[in-house]
Amino acid sequence: MNKIRLPVVLILLFIGCVSTATKAAEGTQVKHIVLCWLKESGNPAHRHKIIETSRSFRKIPRVLKVSAGEVIPSDREIVDDSFDVAIMLTFANTDDMNAYLEHPLHKDAVQKVLLPLVRKIVVYDYTEVVF
């Protein structure tokens, strides 16, 4: 009888661990933050063009959320307000983010909008734990 119970207990423990890992993964997301410094710093038309182009990223499969906006000027020493536009995208995982990076709509926006208008781009990717 004990020989039968041990495999059953091990299987149940394994299922519990997989279930817990899945629940933990459901509580995380991947954030992709892009900071842009314009060639013509402060140009409102160029800022607007980048923000409007970012809206189209919502059409790319596996993109959960897109937001973009202009820098908030700050006198606080800890705040870097030297950039012009920030874009933030949310994905379920890094595979989804990588698919977005290879999507033709993203590549087209980079070539036709970002590269002509932007002198510097800095990207921050991180795994967000959602509470």
Side-chain angles (χ1 to χ4, degrees):
M1 180 100 39
N2 285 340
K3 290 181 181 181
I4 294 173
R5 287 186 192 169
L6 183 59
V8 171
V9 169
L10 290 175
I11 289 171
L12 291 174
L13 283 172
F14 176 76
I15 291 170
C17 289
V18 169
S19 175
T20 302
T22 302
K23 288 178 183 174
E26 289 172 358
T28 63
Q29 295 180 330
V30 170
K31 297 293 185 176
H32 176 70
I33 299 172
V34 181
L35 301 179
C36 303
W37 285 260
L38 296 174
K39 290 177 182 176
E40 296 179 28
S41 185
N43 184 315
H46 292 176
R47 284 179 172 177
H48 180 74
K49 177 113 175 146
I50 292 170
I51 291 168
E52 287 305 308
T53 299
S54 299
R55 286 181 192 270
S56 69
F57 297 155
R58 190 66 177 100
K59 298 175 188 174
I60 298 175
R62 301 195 269 182
V63 171
L64 299 178
K65 183 178 177 183
V66 179
S67 62
E70 298 181 16
V71 66
I72 299 172
S74 178
D75 292 330
R76 297 179 303 165
E77 288 184 28
I78 196 169
V79 175
D80 179 357
D81 61 355
S82 64
F83 65 96
D84 287 279
V85 176
I87 306 162
M88 186 171 71
L89 294 102
T90 304
F91 304 93
N93 53 56
T94 54
D95 289 341
D96 289 356
M97 180 181 68
N98 291 332
Y100 153 82
L101 294 171
E102 295 301 319
H103 193 278
L105 187 59
H106 172 258
K107 286 187 168 195
D108 191 54
V110 168
Q111 290 299 314
K112 293 181 179 174
V113 178
L114 283 183
L115 292 180
L117 299 179
V118 174
R119 69 174 171 83
K120 176 182 173 184
I121 298 173
V122 174
V123 176
Y124 297 98
D125 295 329
Y126 71 96
T127 302
E128 174 187 61
V129 178
V130 180
F131 301 104

